[in-house]
Amino acid sequence: PEEIADELKAYGSALPRMYDSVTVLFTDFVNFTRLSALLSPEEIIDELNECFLAFDEICDQRGLEKIKTIGDAFMCAGGLPLPNETHPYDAVCAALDMVAWLERRNQENPRAHLRDMRIGIHTGPVVAGVIGKNKFAFDIWGDAVNLAARLEEHGVAGQVNVSKTTAEAVKDRFKIIYRGQEEVHNK
């Protein structure tokens, strides 16, 4: 983020920051491992690039900060580096935009390989900062990140899986369907 880059330029480092409330969003494509064994490296990169460029644009439109991609997973967050009150709503809107974009892409390109994805969202505290000296990377850590990732893993393709915390924050603006309590790693 620009604020962190400015701090790195001015001081050569950036102090880690604690954020009391951030909304973390994870996406992951269904069957990516199987598909990657069948496709050429160029096909894999082209597909991921097309999807992630669209997700980058959606993040920009919704005021979210892209954190990173990890293989076929995309991670972004709202409410940082500048805190705001709308981040749960912004993240859910972004997730719905991503689902709609993928559905449109599937209709327009029936030969697309990355057709289904899961999305998980959780709102909670995180620590954010930059680690390393050769390749600076702004990243976030904490239970909120881990829980968002687990919600993605337990999600349903084409739907947005949100935690109780996020659901409470957006229930007046979205129809929330309770899926029941899920046991996730260490929770």
Side-chain angles (χ1 to χ4, degrees), residues 117-148:
M117 78 177 163
R118 295 179 305 270
I119 298 179
I121 301 176
H122 177 62
T123 303
V126 301
V127 174
V130 177
I131 292 181
K133 75 172 198 170
N134 294 332
K135 285 189 176 185
F136 292 118
F138 179 75
D139 206 348
I140 59 177
W141 301 270
D143 197 47
V145 176
N146 298 331
L147 191 48

Side-chain angles (χ1 to χ4, degrees), residues 33-49:
T33 303
R34 183 184 61 79
L35 284 170
S36 63
L38 301 173
L39 302 175
S40 71
E42 293 81 12
E43 288 174 308
I44 294 167
I45 296 301
D46 287 347
E47 291 256 342
L48 286 173
N49 191 48

Side-chain angles (χ1 to χ4, degrees), residues 55-117:
F55 295 176
D56 285 344
E57 183 64 31
I58 290 167
C59 285
D60 288 345
Q61 292 168 356
R62 294 295 181 177
L64 302 182
E65 186 68 36
K66 176 182 178 179
I67 305 300
K68 61 184 163 185
T69 60
I70 311 153
D72 66 311
F74 183 95
M75 176 182 165
C76 59
L80 56 77
L82 300 175
N84 65 57
E85 298 297 317
T86 62
H87 58 86
Y89 173 77
D90 300 334
V92 172
C93 286
L96 293 171
D97 290 347
M98 291 172 181
V99 168
W101 179 87
L102 189 62
E103 288 173 357
R104 277 192 312 276
R105 177 179 176 260
N106 288 342
Q107 290 175 356
E108 294 167 6
N109 182 3
R111 297 179 69 207
H113 296 285
L114 301 178
R115 304 189 63 78
D116 298 305
M117 78 177 163

